[in-house]
Amino acid sequence: MRPRTTALAVLLLPVLVSGCAPAPVHRLSSDDLIKAATRLLTDDCLGRRGLTAPRPDRSPPSSAEQQRVSDALFGTGPAQLSVRLPTGFVVRAHSDGCLAAAQQRLYGDQPRWFRTSTIVNNLGPEATHAHLPLATVRERHSADLADWRRMRSRAVTAAVALLRVNSPTT
């Protein structure tokens, strides 16, 4: 796996390869709803490309197959999206992989979700870097937090609809 995708893969592969049995939609937390819908969407996307997501109950694929799956999931070439955080770090992502397509479907705007979620997920490090209380940093990013909540709510609604349609017990 290429270094630029390693960190993202480490964060996302448990979501994509967890072999947990499906729970009824109404019993899932918001996080689990989004994870399940993301897995369904990425599996479908990989399937359309003739690929299969790795699973703990399957033999590991060859390194060439792993690379094809990684490229399909996370995109290829130079990253199309980039956010410079107040800490100085730059976070990049692709908009051309199956994961980006799943985020687009769930959140409604994948580039905006990437930007907003990256900022919101880094408020703690920003507070530490700036030697400010987290509450102060959260207040400075109130518009980002509101945007994050709005897109997250949209993703939960989309996930519920998607999972109900694709549930074998509906």
Side-chain angles (χ1 to χ4, degrees):
M1 188 175 291
R2 292 175 295 218
R4 66 183 169 76
T5 60
T6 302
L8 188 56
V10 167
L11 293 173
L12 293 172
L13 276 180
V15 171
L16 300 172
V17 300
S18 65
C20 55
V25 170
H26 67 278
R27 290 180 144 171
L28 294 175
S29 69
S30 294
D31 284 345
D32 288 340
L33 283 166
I34 293 171
K35 287 176 187 176
T38 300
R39 178 178 171 187
L40 179 67
L41 291 168
T42 56
D43 282 356
D44 287 349
C45 178
L46 288 172
R48 287 190 304 275
R49 296 177 185 203
L51 300 167
T52 305
R55 297 281 188 265
D57 61 338
R58 296 185 192 140
S59 299
S62 68
S63 60
E65 182 70 5
Q66 286 176 6
Q67 188 61 56
R68 284 190 293 279
V69 170
S70 178
D71 288 349
L73 277 173
F74 304 116
T76 59
Q80 298 88 4
L81 305 174
S82 177
V83 174
R84 180 174 297 281
L85 298 170
T87 59
F89 288 102
V90 176
V91 180
R92 292 178 175 83
H94 288 91
S95 60
D96 64 339
C98 291
L99 181 60
Q103 290 172 342
Q104 178 65 38
R105 172 110 180 252
L106 293 171
Y107 297 99
D109 186 338
Q110 192 260 342
R112 189 172 186 156
W113 172 251
F114 167 74
R115 181 196 162 282
T116 302
S117 64
T118 301
I119 289 169
V120 168
N121 290 335
N122 284 282
L123 295 179
E126 180 179 340
T128 301
H129 178 77
H131 305 290
L132 293 170
L134 181 57
T136 301
V137 173
R138 290 178 65 82
E139 190 175 304
R140 287 181 178 177
H141 288 283
S142 61
D144 292 316
L145 286 163
D147 208 21
W148 183 91
R149 285 185 201 102
R150 190 171 32 260
M151 285 188 284
R152 175 92 171 158
S153 177
R154 183 197 190 286
V156 169
T157 300
V160 167
L162 181 69
L163 295 172
R164 283 201 172 132
V165 165
N166 289 283
S167 173
T169 58
T170 50

